[in-house]
Amino acid sequence: MESTESSYVSSPEALRNRSPPPQPKSPASDHVEKPTYVRFLVSNAAAGSVIGKGGSTITEFQSKSGARIQLSRSHEFFPGTSDRIIMISGTIDDVLKALELILAKFLSELNVDDGDDAELRTKVRLIVPNSSCGSIIGKGGSTIKSFIEDSQAGIKISPQDNNYYGLNDRLVTLTGTLDEQMRAFELILPKLAEDPHYSQNIHAPFSYAATYNAMNYAPNGAGGAKFQNQKEDYSNSVTIGVADGHIGLVLGRGGRNIMEINQVSGARVKISDRGDFMSGTTDRKVTITGSQRAIRQAESMIMEKVAYASERMMD
């Protein structure tokens, strides 16, 4: 089962030995001093490590890199995930410096004992406007092929998700070692900076909370694009059974998990009281109400949390 969290694992020795990123080549060099940005997904825990105690880490990283680093709020996730969004803005060089500081921070907290082993290939997911993906792909896929050959990273662009009204972004997944991922960033960022559509979105909101709540949503910070049928669809209801011992996994500490499931899926999840079981079992009743799509997503998230715990118990 693939985790929704972006993970960063590499060799600390390789990080120390990294040479500074090369200057972008012409014509991208014309854009080096122009502000650009990058957005990517991180887990809640990883976001906390970037912020640091009292905001100390994010302040330090901004000072060292010269870039601006912003994060979505703790319960504002990219649609269809439970991941928050980091946005780094500044010149291309400043953005790359901040990226490397952030990835190094994640690396330092992993306590990898086998640092002498070959570097692991991991994933980081960028958020790119649909209208800008063509500049990465190139004619007949020529640009993305050259980027893959140069960086040795895997670069995969997701199809557009039409389940979320007003969502005009796609995910670009970079798979590789830290060096390979950084080289891919060095190639992709100048290309995106050349695209006027991409540059226009530098001031766009990166919170997608309105998408879940079916409120007014302005995709690029423009006026309020009204939704049709704004009321949530709670006409469908499904009840599933979850073992009494696993209910805590669905609830989470302080109700954190169930709030996340409600927000990400758009469904309403209700758990029966203690002792109120599915007929003939010791499974608690979990009632999911909402649209059919929301129910499917909420059920999938619940089963994922239970299955993950079961796998760990079997190890």
Side-chain angles (χ1 to χ4, degrees):
M1 181 183 65
E2 183 174 342
S3 168
T4 57
E5 295 185 3
S6 297
S7 58
Y8 306 87
V9 183
S10 184
S11 162
E13 189 65 32
L15 182 68
R16 286 193 294 270
N17 293 337
R18 273 183 51 77
S19 57
Q23 292 293 326
K25 297 176 183 178
S26 182
S29 57
D30 296 338
H31 298 263
V32 169
E33 295 308 318
K34 293 183 181 179
T36 189
Y37 67 95
V38 66
R39 295 180 295 171
F40 60 101
L41 304 188
V42 292
S43 68
N44 242 330
S49 74
V50 173
I51 295 169
K53 190 173 182 179
S56 58
T57 304
I58 196 170
T59 301
E60 177 191 348
F61 286 178
Q62 289 185 128
S63 177
K64 283 184 174 180
S65 67
R68 185 182 184 193
I69 304 171
Q70 299 166 273
L71 290 95
S72 63
R73 287 181 286 187
S74 59
H75 292 293
E76 292 179 346
F77 307 119
F78 187 81
T81 77
S82 55
D83 287 338
R84 290 167 69 179
I85 301 133
I86 290 186
M87 178 171 173
I88 307 172
S89 54
T91 66
I92 291 174
D93 282 348
D94 290 349
V95 170
L96 289 171
K97 287 174 189 172
L99 271 167
E100 190 151 20
L101 287 168
I102 289 171
L103 300 188
K105 175 66 174 174
F106 295 149
L107 178 65
S108 70
E109 297 184 352
L110 285 171
N111 296 321
V112 181
D113 295 325
D114 53 350
D116 293 333
D117 290 351
E119 291 184 272
L120 299 177
R121 294 174 63 81
T122 59
K123 293 180 181 179
V124 58
R125 289 177 292 171
L126 310 183
I127 304 168
V128 177
N130 184 52
S131 59
S132 301
C133 286
S135 64
I136 300 174
I137 297 169
K139 189 173 182 180
S142 58
T143 303
I144 195 169
K145 286 176 185 175
S146 70
F147 286 178
I148 291 170
E149 288 175 7
D150 188 326
S151 68
Q152 295 298 300
I155 304 174
K156 184 177 180 182
I157 301 176
S158 70
Q160 188 167 13
D161 190 343
N162 295 317
N163 288 325
Y164 299 92
Y165 178 80
L167 177 62
N168 298 313
D169 294 327
R170 291 159 75 175
L171 293 177
V172 178
T173 303
L174 307 183
T175 306
T177 65
L178 179 61
D179 278 349
E180 291 166 352
Q181 288 173 344
M182 285 304 300
R183 179 57 185 155
F185 275 120
E186 290 160 8
L187 294 165
I188 289 171
L189 276 181
K191 199 69 178 175
L192 289 173
E194 294 173 6
D195 180 1
H197 296 293
Y198 186 80
S199 300
Q200 285 171 5
N201 285 326
I202 194 167
H203 301 298
F206 61 146
S207 165
Y208 298 89
T211 310
Y212 305 132
N213 297 329
M215 296 164 59
N216 292 348
Y217 179 66
N220 294 319
K226 294 236 178 194
F227 276 76
Q228 299 298 316
N229 304 319
Q230 288 188 337
K231 288 186 178 179
E232 289 283 2
D233 179 5
Y234 288 117
S235 57
N236 303 293
S237 184
V238 169
T239 299
I240 61 175
V242 174
D244 198 28
H246 288 156
I247 283 297
L249 300 166
V250 179
L251 281 169
R253 185 175 294 179
R256 188 177 302 169
N257 288 356
I258 198 167
M259 286 173 61
E260 176 188 314
I261 293 166
N262 286 336
Q263 186 173 19
V264 172
S265 68
R268 184 183 298 158
V269 179
K270 185 178 180 182
I271 298 172
S272 66
D273 295 331
R274 288 182 180 177
D276 184 4
F277 301 126
M278 299 280 284
S279 180
T281 74
T282 55
D283 290 349
R284 298 270 286 278
K285 299 174 185 175
V286 178
T287 303
I288 310 169
T289 308
S291 67
Q292 290 183 350
R293 182 197 61 78
I295 289 172
R296 283 196 302 271
Q297 185 163 0
E299 185 173 358
S300 173
M301 292 178 74
I302 290 168
M303 291 299 101
E304 184 177 302
K305 291 183 184 300
V306 172
Y308 176 68
S310 301
E311 287 172 9
R312 292 189 67 178
M313 289 172 66
M314 290 171 65
D315 288 343

